[in-house]
Amino acid sequence: MLKKALQELLDIFNQYLSPLGVEPRHLGVLWLLRARGPMRQVALSEAMRLDRTTIMRLVDDLEQRGLVRRAPDPEDRRAHAVTITSEGLRLLQQARPLLEAAENHFLRRLSPEERVTLRALLERLV
C-alpha cells in the first residue's frame, strides 16, 4: 500500500515540477546541499541512500543547469565537493509552492485532522 501511495505521490510531484525541468530527486540533492553545505558525491550518495552512479547522474544534470558546481575538496585534493549555486537556491524557492500544491493535490481526499494524523504517523516511521 505504501509503495502504491509513494508512486502516486511521485507522479504528482513530477507533474507539478515539470515546468522547472527537475524531479524530486534533484530537489533532494539541492536541499541537502543547502542544509549541510558542500559535500562529496560519496557523502551525498550515503545521505540520500542512492548508489554512486545515480548520484553522479543527478549531480551532472544539476551542474549542466548551473544549479550546483563541483570544486576540488580542500580536505582531499583527489575528491570534489559539490556546492549549491545561487541559481540552485532560486530554483528551490520556485519549487516550494509547486511542491505544496502537489502535496495538497495528493492529500485532497483527507480532512485537515486526517492530514495531521498522517503526518504524525509518518514522522514516527522516519
Side-chain angles (χ1 to χ4, degrees), residues 1-11 106 122:
M1 185 65 72
L2 286 174
K3 186 175 180 178
K4 186 176 178 180
L6 174 61
Q7 188 57 54
E8 183 177 339
L9 180 60
L10 287 174
D11 290 346
F106 178 72
L122 290 172

Side-chain angles (χ1 to χ4, degrees), residues 8 12 102-111 114-115:
E8 183 177 339
I12 293 168
E103 184 177 301
N104 285 330
H105 178 93
F106 178 72
L107 298 173
R108 69 192 180 280
R109 290 169 265 170
L110 299 180
S111 70
E114 289 171 325
R115 290 181 185 205

Side-chain angles (χ1 to χ4, degrees), residues 47-104:
M48 293 196 59
R49 299 180 182 169
L50 295 171
D51 64 74
R52 291 179 185 187
T53 303
T54 302
I55 283 294
M56 185 177 70
R57 278 196 310 265
L58 290 171
V59 171
D60 286 347
D61 291 347
L62 294 168
E63 187 177 40
Q64 288 172 356
R65 294 199 46 205
L67 303 172
V68 300
R69 71 174 176 279
R70 288 182 177 108
D73 187 332
E75 296 177 17
D76 183 352
R77 293 187 318 214
R78 298 168 296 166
H80 285 83
V82 181
T83 305
I84 191 169
T85 64
S86 58
E87 188 62 33
L89 292 171
R90 272 193 293 279
L91 183 99
L92 286 178
Q93 288 178 329
Q94 293 172 324
R96 182 169 296 293
L98 297 175
L99 290 171
E100 288 174 8
E103 184 177 301
N104 285 330

